Amino acid sequence: MKRTAYFGMMSAALEEAGIHRPALVIDLERLNANLSILREAMRGGPAIRLVDKSLPALPLLAHAMRILGTRKIMSFHLPVTLAVLAEFPDVHALFGKPMPIAAVTQAFAHADRDQAGALAGRVTWLIDSEVRLGQYASFARSLGTPLRIAFEINIGMQRGGFETPADLASAVRAASSEPLLLCEGVMGYEAHVPAIPALFGGPKAALFQARAHFSEFVAVLPPGQRAILNTGGSQTAFSHSDNMVANEVSIGSALVKPTDFDRPGLGALAPAIFIATPVLKVLKTRLPGPRPMSALFQALGLFPRNGCFLYGGKFMARPVYPPGLKRNRIWGDSSNQQLMAFSTSHPVAPDDLVFFRPTQSEAVLQQFGPLQIMENGRITTTWPVLPAG
């Protein structure tokens, strides 16, 4: 469907639904197609673990889990983790970053019996150092309850975790002397892979090296501590479909494909999230101050002659419709009324909707209230979002 027809359809759907404010729309048909592509690509390969911060709505997670046939979540923020565990009693959560022990202590202190049981029984906590390992061991002893842990390993991302297999082996030995710590495996993230320039071997070589490092770390784990061998992310998940060492890959943002994920390896996926917001004003633009200043900057091509002010703005997003919609650096951004230049070939009028593609899904999906779900050219339902954090 051509852009004009597509965004015309979305405008009509929002108008029919009575949405006249900034809103985030999920195209359910595109989302379903993306989920199907992932499911088929990973068939026979590692299991899929969905990233909750990138798909931060319980109905969205439920929908994706159902189609992908997974009950695995990667979590990053305790309030979200608790909401996910409560909504899905059979889901297992692996933390994607190490939680400060004070935050974990507080979570258990405020938890009721069911919540505490879920935090201990259905969460695997990430350990990135022997110091943190000692903190979790001490806390488990104070609880008198076993805690499940996995180790963060550095396979090239250079964002912390155990640096070498020898370092990991030392931590595994330390954990084995703690009967209330149950080691379940490792997590190695490699989002750096697509960004490695050809001068230094390019993405293909970086992926090969990351997988080799991952295998070296896994080799030091006792056979009974390999339940979670997690790698990948939205940038790289598809490249692990033939991975015979990792037993699961994480993915989230790519399924709705914000602009940061416009990568060659994700070319089969379609953008499925859009920000829509009304135009409030259309006018011949002027800078504050003497009129000649505006004329000078316009003559130099630094300030537009035609502009519109939007309902809201300063979105983490790029304009996609109508063509020619651009922010202006001199005027700057506003989260109240964003100035956008527009092309006279594609004019706008007050109350028209303009559209943006988010640059990322995490956090952005939580900024607009309930998600507007579009299916067959209509807004068919809304999905509430999880608490931001």
Side-chain angles (χ1 to χ4, degrees):
M1 184 182 295
K2 291 186 177 179
R3 276 206 302 175
T4 298
Y6 182 75
F7 290 109
M9 175 187 69
M10 197 177 294
S11 291
L14 290 165
E15 174 71 26
E16 180 187 38
I19 306 298
H20 306 291
R21 55 171 175 77
L24 198 138
V25 181
I26 291 185
D27 183 326
L28 192 62
E29 291 158 287
R30 288 189 176 192
L31 172 63
N32 288 344
N34 291 346
L35 289 166
S36 296
I37 289 167
L38 175 65
R39 182 185 60 204
E40 293 308 309
M42 302 307 292
R43 191 179 295 279
I48 297 166
R49 188 176 289 274
L50 290 172
V51 177
D52 62 13
K53 70 179 174 63
S54 304
L55 305 169
L58 294 174
L60 175 55
L61 287 170
H63 185 79
M65 284 193 292
R66 179 180 60 79
I67 291 177
L68 296 173
T70 184
R71 308 308 287 174
K72 298 174 183 283
I73 293 289
M74 179 170 278
S75 201
F76 293 81
H77 181 49
L78 274 162
V80 169
T81 311
L82 287 166
V84 169
L85 294 173
E87 181 73 10
F88 308 113
D90 59 341
V91 155
H92 170 268
L94 167 66
F95 263 91
K97 63 186 177 189
M99 285 289 102
I101 194 63
V104 179
T105 302
Q106 187 178 57
F108 273 90
H110 290 91
D112 61 28
R113 177 185 290 184
D114 289 342
Q115 290 172 327
L119 289 171
R122 293 197 285 129
V123 173
T124 299
W125 306 90
L126 196 65
I127 303 296
D128 63 324
S129 69
E130 289 210 33
V131 170
R132 203 177 303 276
L133 179 68
Q135 293 172 340
Y136 275 70
S138 177
F139 179 61
R141 288 194 296 272
S142 72
L143 279 178
T145 301
L147 294 179
R148 303 164 70 169
I149 62 168
F151 295 103
E152 182 178 14
I153 54 176
N154 181 7
I155 58 172
M157 182 76 176
Q158 312 304 339
R159 197 175 67 178
F162 289 91
E163 287 289 325
T164 68
D167 295 335
L168 176 63
S170 175
V172 168
R173 287 193 296 272
S176 68
S177 67
E178 298 288 348
L180 293 180
L181 291 184
L182 308 177
C183 176
E184 297 190 310
V186 293
M187 187 280 287
Y189 189 42
E190 27 68 299
H192 65 287
V193 163
I196 300 300
L199 178 65
F200 299 104
K204 186 174 181 179
L207 179 66
F208 178 84
Q209 291 169 358
R211 287 172 65 159
H213 291 325
F214 188 87
S215 297
E216 291 165 1
F217 279 106
V218 170
V220 309
L221 292 173
Q225 297 182 14
R226 300 182 183 184
I228 297 173
L229 304 177
N230 177 280
T231 193
S234 278
Q235 302 275 17
T236 58
F238 283 87
S239 63
H240 291 290
S241 60
D242 63 344
N243 194 320
M244 302 303 291
V245 177
N247 59 18
E248 59 179 57
V249 295
S250 301
I251 191 168
S253 297
L255 296 172
V256 291
K257 201 175 184 184
T259 62
D260 285 352
F261 296 85
D262 287 344
R263 301 277 187 173
L266 300 174
L269 303 180
I273 51 173
F274 300 91
I275 296 168
T277 195
V279 173
L280 299 179
K281 308 165 187 173
V282 177
L283 62 161
K284 298 291 184 182
T285 51
R286 285 178 50 197
L287 287 166
R291 284 183 178 272
M293 184 169 65
S294 295
L296 173 62
F297 279 99
Q298 287 169 339
L300 294 172
L302 301 175
F303 191 68
R305 299 180 186 277
N306 301 288
C308 60
F309 287 89
L310 306 182
Y311 187 155
K314 208 171 185 178
F315 306 127
M316 293 178 66
R318 297 177 184 170
V320 291
Y321 192 83
L325 204 64
K326 295 178 182 178
R327 62 180 293 273
N328 182 258
R329 188 171 298 176
I330 291 176
W331 188 277
D333 296 325
S334 170
S335 56
N336 174 40
Q337 295 184 65
Q338 176 83 38
L339 171 66
M340 300 293 290
F342 65 87
S343 168
T344 53
S345 300
H346 300 277
V348 295
D351 301 334
D352 285 351
L353 289 174
V354 298
F355 295 89
F356 294 75
R357 278 184 64 200
T359 56
Q360 63 184 57
S361 62
E362 60 188 85
V364 177
L365 268 69
Q366 293 152 295
Q367 294 175 2
F368 299 88
L371 305 174
Q372 308 297 318
I373 309 305
M374 185 180 76
E375 186 175 14
N376 297 320
R378 299 189 67 192
I379 303 299
T380 55
T381 189
T382 60
W383 288 349
V385 296
L386 285 159

